[in-house]
Amino acid sequence: MRLHRLGITAFGPFGATQEIDFDALSAAGIFLLHGPTGAGKTSVLDAVCYGLYGAVPGARQSPGTSLRSDHAPADLPTEIRLELTVGGRRLEITRSPAQPRPKRKGDGFTTEKAQSRLREYVPEEGWRALSRSSQEIGEEITQLIGMSRDQFCQVVLLPQGDFARFLRADAEARGKLLGRLFDTRRFAAVEEHLAELRRSAGTQVRAGDERILAVAQRIAQAAGPAAEEHPLPGIQPGEPGLADAVLEWAATARSGARERLDIAACVLSAAEARQSAARQALDAERELAGLQQRYAETRRRATEVEAGRDEHDQAQERLRRARKADLVAPALELREEAGRAHRRAGAARDRSRAGLPGELADAGAEQVTALERRLREELGALDAARRAERRSAEIDRERAALERQAGADDELIRDAQGWLAGWETTRQRLHARIEGAQEAATRPELLAGRLDPARRRLDAARRRDTLAAQASDAEDRLTEAREDALTTGETWLGLRERRLRDIAAELARELVEGEACPVCGSAGHPEPARPGDGHVDQATEDAAQAAHRRAEQARTEAEHALGAVRERYAAARAEAADTPDGQTAAGGGEAGDGLSAASEPTVGALTELVDTLTREHAEAYRTATGTHAAREALAAAEREQEQRAGDRQQAERRAAARTSRREGLDAEQAALAEVLAQARGGSSSVTEHAALLQRRIALLVEAAEALREEESAAARLKEADDRLADAAFRAGFDTPRDAAATMLPDSRQRALQHRIDAWQAESAAVTDRLAEADARTAAGRPPADPGAAQSLYDRAERLLRDGAGAHTAARERCAELGRLSRRAADEVRAQGPVREEYERIARLAGLTAGTSADNERKMRLESYVLAARLEQVAAAATARLRRMSSGRYTLVHSDARTGGRRAGLGLHVIDAWTGRERDTATLSGGETFFASLALALGLADVVTDEAGGVRLDTLFIDEGFGSLDDQTLDEVLDVLDSLRERDRSVGIVSHVADLRRRIPAQLEVVKERHGSAVRHRAADGVSG
C-alpha cells in the first residue's frame, strides 16, 4: 500500500482545504512531519485513517467528539480525499462525516448525513466510480489492505508510546494487544466452546447420575426394611464410581427381599392349614345349632296350630253359607235394579205432568199424544207468516240505510258548496305565492357573494389581532438578543485582549528543559515569562467566543422571526380591510410603527356583519326553495276542486233515486202487515207464537214418554220379585232377606279362604317337620356354641389374611426390585458413553484452558498461539535492534512462569556486553525507544505477512526521537533508511530540531489564527 495524495478540508484544526503530496515526500524515502504543539500533526494521520476506514484512531473517535474544524466557514463542508495504490489498484476515497450545514430554504442548520465515494483510476478510461456505500467501501478497503483499523494504526502509524508500554507490560496486557493485531479470537472461541461443551457434558453426566440416583431412591422405597439394613451409598451426582456402587447396592437389596419372600411363603402355608380346620369346626357347630333351633321352632308352631283349630272350623262354616248365598245374588241384584228403574220412572212422570195444564193432570199417554199432533199441525201453518215477517224486517233495515245515505249525501253537498264558494280566493292566493317565490330566486346568490368575503375578512381580522401580539413579543425578544450579543461580544474581545497580553506566559508553560523553544529555538530557558494577575487561558477565551457565537445566532434568528411575523401581520391587516396585499387603510409602511389603526374594522363589527348576512341568506334561500311547493299546492287545490264538484253531482243523483225506492218499500210493507196481524194471534210476533207452540209440543212429548216408561218399569219390578223369591227357596233360605244377610263380599270370602288355607298348610308342615329324625337326634344333644367356633375361625382368617398380605407384598417387592434394578442397569449403560465423552471433552478443555496437569506451563490455547506470534515478532525486531544498538541487544521470547502467573508471553532482552538475559522493563529511556521502534517495525513485517503479504510502502513513526544521542540517532536513521531497500517510505513525526537538519524532505504543519496549514519542504525549497 502506497499513499499518493491527501486532501483535507475543514477537518480538525484545518479550517480550509490542504493538499499533501506523499509522492513528493516519499521520493527521498524518509520525510519529517513536524510543527508546533497543537498545530495538527496527529490530525494528518487521523485524516489518513479516516479516509481508509471512516473513523479515527483510539479515543479521538469517542462519542460526542466532532471531526469538523471550528475554524471552517459554515458553507465549507468537511471532507477527506485520499488517493492511494493498494493491491495493484489506484483508488481515490472521499469521505465526509455527519455535519451541520445551513438550510437551503429559511434560516438555521440541518444535519448532513455521512457520505463516502470510491473511484478507481483506469488508464484507458480515467477515474471510474465504484461505490457510494460506506459499508461496501469499508469492506473493499479492509479486504485489499488485509488489516482492520486497529491493526493499521499499530502497523502503519507505529505509535511509539504504545510499544514502549508493550515492552514494560505484563503478559496479560501483551496478550490483549497481540490478540487485537493477530485476531486470535477464534482460538479464544475454541477455548470457550470447549469449556461450554465441558459444562454441557457435565450437565448431562449429572443429569444421568441424578436419574440413576432417582431409580436408587425408588429401589430404597421398594426394598422397605432391607434398605434400612443396607443404606444407599452417599455419592453425589457427577462423582466417579456412582453407577457401580448403585448396582452393587441394588443386588444386595434384591437378595434380602428374596429371603423375606421365602419366609412369608412358609408363614402363609401354616395359616392356610389353621384356617381350614377352623372353618370345618365352625360349619359343624352351625349345623348343630340350626337343627336344635329347627326342632324347637317346630314344637312351638304345633302348639299354635292346635290353638287355632276352633277358629278354623268356624271360618269354614261361614264360608260355606256365603257361597250358597252367592247363588241368590243375581236375582237380588236384578230386583234392586228394577226397583231403582221404577222409582226413576215415577219421578220423571211427576216432573212431566207438572208443566201440563190442569185438565191434563190425570190424562193418559194416548190423550197426550193426540193433543201433540194437533199442535204440530198448527205450527206447520206458520211458515208463510214467518217469511213475511222476515221480509218486513228487511224492509225496515233498507229504509234505515236509505236514511243514513241521505244524511251523508246532504253533509257532502253542504261541505262541497262551502269549499267551492272560496275557490277563487284560494286560487288567486296560490298564484301570488308562486310569483313571489320566482322573484326571490336570485337573492340567495347575491347574498352568498357578499357572505364569503365577509367571512374571510373576519378570519383575517382575528389573525391580525393575534399576530399583533406575536409581533410585540418578537420585538421584545429581538431587543434582548441584541443586548445579549453586544454583551457577549464585549466580554469575548476583552478576554481575548487580556490573553494576548499574557501569551508569552502561556507559551512558557509548554517549554521543556533541554528542548528547543518554538519561538527562539534556544534549548536554555533562564527566565520564562510568568502569568500576571487575572490571566486568561485559551479555554476561557474559547468558551466566551462560543457564547458570543450563540448570542449572534440567537439575534439572527430573532430578526428572521420578527420579519416573518410582520409579513403575516401586514397580509392579515390588508385582507381584513378588504384592500390589496401589502397595504392597509392607514398605509402599508406603518406596520412596524403601530399594529392597530382606528379606521380598521374590528372583529366584533365583522362578526355582526357575517351574522346578519347569514340570516338574510338563510331566509332568502327558504323563500326561493318554496317555488316548487307553491306549484304543487296549486295543482293539489285544482284537483280537489274538480273532485268536490263531481262528488256534489253524484250526491244529487243518489237523492233522486232514494225517493223512488222509498215509495216502493212503503207499499210492500203495508201488504205484509195485514198477513202478519192474522198469524201472530195473541203474540207480539209470528216467531214468538211459533216458539210458544214448540214449547207446548215438547212438554207433551216428554209427558207421553214418561207415562209409557213408568208403566214398563212397574211390569219389570213385578217380574224381578217373582224370580228373587224362587231363587232364595232353591238355595235353602226361608226368605230373600235371610239370603241377603248371609252374603259376603268377594274380599271377605278370599280372606276367609286364605286363613283356612294357611292353617291347613301350617298343620301339614308341622306334621312333616316333627317326623324328621336328625332334628329329634340333635335336640337330644347338649346345646351348640357357634359363637366360640366363630371366634376361633375369625382369628385363623385374620392370620391367613396377614400372611397372604405379607407374602403378596414380598412377592411384589421382589418383582419391583427386579424391574427397578433392570432400569438402573439400563440407565448405567446409557450413561457410559456420556461419561466417556465428558472425560474426553474435560481433558481437552483443561488442556486448552491451561488448567490440566498435562499442560506443564499452564498456557491457554490463545496464549500459545500468541506466544508463537511473539516469537516471530521478536525475531523480526532483533534484526533491526542489533543494528540500532550496535549489536548489543537481542529480543527473545520467554515462556517461563513468573510467580503464580501463567507462562507464554514473556519478552526479555539479551545484553551481549554482560551475556545476561533481563526483562525489557530495565531498559533506559533511549534504549526503550529504539527497542520499541525495532519491535514496531518487526511487528509490521509479521502482520504484513499475516495479512497475505500486502506491501506497506508508507509508514509513520510518531515521536520518541528526542531521547536518543547523536550516534544512536544516526544508527536509527540508518535502519529507517534501509527500509527504502524494500521500496518503503517512512514519515517521522517529531519535534526534534536535529531531525529538521538531517531530513531534507519535510511536511510542516503551521498553526495560524484561522486554522492550521501544511507546507511541503524539499531539498530545493518550500511549497505551501
Side-chain angles (χ1 to χ4, degrees):
M1 181 197 73
R2 177 179 293 276
L3 304 180
H4 298 294
R5 299 186 65 83
L6 175 65
I8 306 174
T9 302
F11 181 86
F14 303 103
T17 299
Q18 305 295 324
E19 295 288 342
I20 300 175
D21 187 355
F22 285 111
D23 286 338
L25 294 172
S26 301
I30 299 178
F31 63 91
L32 179 65
L33 175 59
H34 67 95
T37 300
K41 301 183 295 298
T42 305
S43 296
V44 173
L45 306 183
D46 291 346
V48 173
C49 185
Y50 183 79
L52 291 172
Y53 295 96
V56 297
R60 295 190 291 278
Q61 188 62 31
S62 59
T65 59
S66 175
L67 301 179
R68 180 170 174 79
S69 175
D70 294 335
H71 301 284
D75 57 350
L76 182 63
T78 300
E79 182 180 88
I80 299 297
R81 186 181 70 260
L82 178 63
E83 185 179 339
L84 74 160
T85 297
V86 58
R89 300 167 61 186
R90 185 151 184 165
L91 304 176
E92 180 188 77
I93 307 171
T94 304
R95 294 186 187 269
S96 297
Q99 55 189 306
R101 65 165 176 80
K103 293 182 178 179
R104 295 185 177 90
K105 295 181 179 180
D107 300 329
F109 291 83
T110 184
T111 300
E112 185 80 19
K113 294 182 179 179
Q115 298 180 2
S116 299
R117 296 186 300 276
L118 177 63
R119 298 196 303 171
E120 181 178 7
Y121 182 78
V122 180
E124 296 81 5
E125 303 176 12
W127 289 104
R128 181 177 63 188
L130 296 181
S131 176
R132 286 181 172 270
S133 170
S134 298
Q135 182 177 358
E136 291 180 357
I137 295 173
E139 293 175 354
E140 180 73 13
I141 295 301
T142 302
Q143 183 178 2
L144 289 173
I145 297 177
M147 289 182 286
S148 64
R149 186 190 65 172
D150 292 338
Q151 290 177 318
F152 178 84
C153 294
Q154 293 288 345
V155 173
V156 178
L157 301 184
L158 298 183
Q160 296 305 304
D162 289 350
F163 281 97
R165 287 190 295 273
F166 180 82
L167 285 174
R168 297 185 174 91
D170 55 11
E172 183 178 359
R174 289 192 184 115
K176 291 180 180 179
L177 176 60
L178 294 174
R180 289 197 306 270
L181 291 177
F182 293 104
D183 191 15
T184 57
R185 289 174 295 179
R186 60 187 182 278
F187 300 103
V190 169
E191 296 177 21
E192 181 60 30
H193 179 65
L194 288 174
E196 181 62 28
L197 289 178
R198 178 174 58 185
R199 288 191 292 269
S200 177
T203 302
Q204 294 179 4
V205 169
R206 286 191 295 274
D209 288 349
E210 288 174 357
R211 289 194 297 270
I212 294 173
L213 286 177
V215 176
Q217 292 293 340
R218 295 183 61 183
I219 292 174
Q221 294 175 0
E228 298 177 359
E229 298 175 3
H230 302 281
L232 185 66
I235 302 178
Q236 297 300 320
E239 295 182 5
L242 182 141
D244 296 337
V246 168
L247 292 179
E248 181 179 353
W249 174 81
T252 303
R254 290 197 305 275
S255 176
R258 283 194 293 271
E259 292 178 359
R260 284 174 172 79
L261 176 60
D262 295 339
I263 295 172
C266 295
V267 172
L268 177 60
S269 178
E272 288 175 346
R274 286 194 299 271
Q275 188 266 352
S276 178
R279 180 66 188 179
Q280 293 175 359
L282 176 61
D283 292 342
E285 199 70 16
R286 283 178 177 174
E287 184 178 2
L288 177 61
L291 291 173
Q292 291 176 348
Q293 185 179 1
R294 181 182 179 85
Y295 186 78
E297 178 65 20
T298 302
R299 296 300 303 171
R300 182 186 61 77
R301 289 169 59 185
T303 302
E304 292 176 354
V305 167
E306 190 63 26
R309 183 178 295 277
D310 293 341
E311 184 180 356
H312 167 68
D313 294 342
Q314 293 174 2
Q316 277 186 330
E317 179 61 21
R318 188 174 181 183
L319 180 62
R320 184 185 63 81
R321 287 180 59 81
R323 287 177 175 173
K324 289 176 66 177
D326 288 342
L327 300 176
V328 186
L332 184 60
E333 290 178 359
L334 181 62
R335 168 64 180 75
E336 291 177 354
E337 179 61 28
R340 287 192 295 271
H342 185 265
R343 288 191 295 273
R344 288 195 299 271
R349 179 200 62 190
D350 295 339
R351 286 194 301 272
S352 64
R353 283 182 173 181
L356 297 176
E359 63 270 15
L360 297 176
D362 296 328
E366 293 78 3
Q367 186 180 357
V368 173
T369 302
L371 181 58
E372 175 196 354
R373 283 195 296 271
R374 288 196 302 271
L375 291 178
R376 286 186 183 278
E377 292 175 356
E378 183 180 356
L379 180 63
L382 292 178
D383 290 340
R386 281 199 296 268
R387 288 193 297 272
E389 188 176 42
R390 286 194 299 270
R391 176 57 186 160
S392 178
E394 291 175 356
I395 292 173
D396 290 340
R397 289 193 295 272
E398 189 172 353
R399 287 170 62 88
L402 291 174
E403 292 298 330
R404 287 193 300 272
Q405 292 177 2
D409 287 343
D410 291 343
E411 180 66 24
L412 188 148
I413 291 171
R414 286 193 300 273
D415 185 41
Q417 288 176 347
W419 192 89
L420 292 173
W423 163 241
E424 287 298 328
T425 303
T426 301
R427 186 174 60 82
Q428 292 175 2
R429 177 174 55 79
L430 291 174
H431 277 292
R433 179 181 171 188
I434 293 172
E435 293 173 357
Q438 289 175 346
E439 293 176 357
T442 59
R443 181 168 175 75
E445 295 181 1
L446 298 175
L447 291 174
R450 296 176 56 194
L451 181 59
D452 290 341
R455 286 175 175 168
R456 288 195 295 272
R457 292 180 63 196
L458 175 59
D459 294 339
R462 289 171 176 166
R463 292 198 308 274
R464 177 200 63 198
D465 295 348
T466 302
L467 290 170
Q470 293 179 0
S472 177
D473 295 341
E475 287 180 346
D476 295 341
R477 288 193 295 271
L478 177 58
T479 301
E480 294 176 358
R482 285 172 176 170
E483 293 176 356
D484 189 23
L486 290 174
T487 301
T488 55
E490 292 174 357
T491 301
W492 171 53
L493 293 176
L495 293 173
R496 184 175 182 79
E497 185 177 356
R498 288 164 56 189
R499 179 169 174 263
L500 290 175
R501 286 199 303 266
D502 293 337
I503 193 66
E506 185 174 337
L507 294 175
R509 284 202 304 270
E510 300 179 1
L511 294 177
V512 178
E513 189 65 32
E515 294 186 1
C517 174
V519 179
C520 64
S522 173
H525 317 296
E527 295 182 1
R530 304 289 182 183
D533 295 336
H535 174 68
V536 178
D537 56 7
Q538 185 175 0
T540 304
E541 180 189 353
D542 292 344
Q545 185 180 10
H548 175 59
R549 289 177 178 174
R550 289 193 297 271
E552 286 292 331
Q553 180 66 27
R555 179 186 61 77
T556 302
E557 293 177 355
E559 289 176 350
H560 290 320
L562 177 59
V565 171
R566 284 178 175 176
E567 290 177 1
R568 293 197 300 272
Y569 170 77
R573 184 179 179 190
E575 186 176 358
D578 196 18
T579 62
D581 294 343
Q583 299 179 3
T584 65
E590 298 178 0
D593 299 332
L595 298 179
S596 64
S599 61
E600 295 180 358
T602 64
V603 173
L606 290 174
T607 302
E608 183 177 358
L609 175 61
V610 169
D611 293 342
T612 301
L613 291 175
T614 301
R615 288 194 300 272
E616 292 178 358
H617 179 267
E619 182 64 29
Y621 182 77
R622 284 194 299 271
T623 303
T625 55
T627 303
H628 179 72
R631 289 175 177 170
E632 291 292 331
L634 177 59
E638 290 175 347
R639 290 192 297 272
E640 185 177 0
Q641 187 269 339
E642 294 176 358
Q643 180 68 30
R644 286 180 178 271
D647 292 344
R648 184 177 64 178
Q649 293 176 1
Q650 292 292 333
E652 291 173 351
R653 286 194 292 270
R654 287 194 300 271
R658 281 194 299 273
T659 302
S660 176
R661 178 62 177 165
R662 191 180 292 113
E663 293 174 354
L665 292 175
D666 291 343
E668 184 180 1
Q669 193 167 32
L672 292 173
E674 295 178 359
V675 176
L676 293 175
Q678 295 176 0
R680 287 171 182 167
S683 300
S684 60
S685 65
V686 175
T687 302
E688 183 179 351
H689 185 59
L692 177 61
L693 293 176
Q694 289 176 348
R695 287 194 298 274
R696 289 178 179 178
I697 291 171
L699 290 175
L700 291 173
V701 170
E702 183 181 359
E705 181 66 26
L707 289 172
R708 286 191 292 272
E709 181 63 27
E710 193 269 340
E711 293 174 354
S712 175
R716 291 194 299 273
L717 177 61
K718 183 179 181 303
E719 182 181 0
D721 287 338
D722 294 341
R723 290 181 178 180
L724 177 60
D726 184 61
F729 177 76
R730 284 196 302 271
F733 293 99
D734 295 336
T735 63
R737 187 182 299 274
D738 293 340
T742 307
M743 292 180 65
L744 291 175
D746 292 341
S747 60
R748 292 284 303 278
Q749 291 184 21
R750 287 193 298 272
L752 286 174
Q753 185 65 50
H754 179 70
R755 287 167 56 189
I756 293 169
D757 294 342
W759 187 90
Q760 292 176 350
E762 180 69 9
S763 178
V766 167
T767 301
D768 292 341
R769 291 180 66 176
L770 287 175
E772 294 176 355
D774 54 351
R776 288 197 305 270
T777 303
R781 295 176 61 183
D785 188 5
Q790 181 68 42
S791 299
L792 293 174
Y793 174 74
D794 291 342
R795 182 171 180 274
E797 181 71 18
R798 186 170 59 255
L799 293 175
L800 176 61
R801 286 196 302 269
D802 294 343
H807 181 266
T808 301
R811 185 175 64 252
E812 292 177 352
R813 182 177 294 111
C814 287
E816 181 67 11
L817 287 175
R819 186 183 66 82
L820 292 175
S821 296
R822 289 191 297 273
R823 182 175 175 183
D826 293 341
E827 292 289 348
V828 170
R829 284 193 296 273
Q831 183 72 353
V834 176
R835 179 169 289 278
E836 292 176 1
E837 178 68 12
Y838 168 72
E839 293 174 354
R840 183 178 64 83
I841 293 174
R843 287 194 301 272
L844 287 175
L847 187 63
T848 56
T851 58
S852 172
D854 297 333
N855 192 333
E856 297 178 356
R857 298 189 178 274
K858 304 301 180 183
M859 291 177 65
R860 295 171 48 242
L861 177 62
E862 184 181 16
S863 300
Y864 180 77
V865 175
L866 291 177
R869 291 286 188 264
L870 186 57
E871 281 190 60
Q872 297 175 358
V873 172
T878 296
R880 295 185 175 88
L881 179 59
R882 292 177 63 84
R883 290 185 57 187
M884 294 180 187
S885 63
S886 301
R888 180 179 179 182
Y889 295 116
T890 301
L891 280 175
V892 294
H893 162 252
S894 173
D895 55 6
R897 298 179 63 184
T898 57
R901 299 179 181 178
R902 297 180 180 180
L905 296 178
L907 192 61
H908 291 175
V909 62
I910 298 177
D911 190 347
W913 291 1
T914 63
R916 293 182 179 274
E917 180 178 333
R918 54 191 173 99
D919 194 271
T920 53
T922 60
L923 296 174
S924 65
E927 292 172 340
T928 299
F929 167 71
F930 60 71
S932 62
L933 177 59
L935 186 65
L937 294 174
L939 181 62
D941 292 338
V942 173
V943 173
T944 299
D945 296 337
E946 178 73 13
V950 176
R951 289 180 55 83
L952 300 178
D953 298 324
T954 305
L955 299 177
F956 293 92
I957 300 175
D958 190 2
E959 290 300 345
F961 291 89
S963 60
L964 304 178
D965 56 28
D966 292 341
Q967 181 181 356
T968 305
L969 180 60
D970 290 337
E971 293 175 350
V972 169
L973 291 178
D974 289 341
V975 172
L976 295 178
D977 189 59
S978 66
L979 295 177
R980 289 188 297 175
E981 299 173 359
R982 301 176 63 179
D983 198 18
R984 285 181 175 177
S985 61
V986 180
I988 298 175
V989 183
S990 178
H991 292 281
V992 178
D994 193 32
L995 288 177
R996 291 198 290 270
R997 293 191 298 270
R998 293 171 179 262
I999 301 175
Q1002 299 177 14
L1003 178 65
E1004 183 180 6
V1005 182
V1006 181
K1007 182 165 59 174
E1008 298 177 349
R1009 182 181 187 85
H1010 301 291
S1012 299
V1014 297
R1015 297 176 183 174
H1016 294 76
R1017 184 185 300 275
D1020 53 353
V1022 178
S1023 63

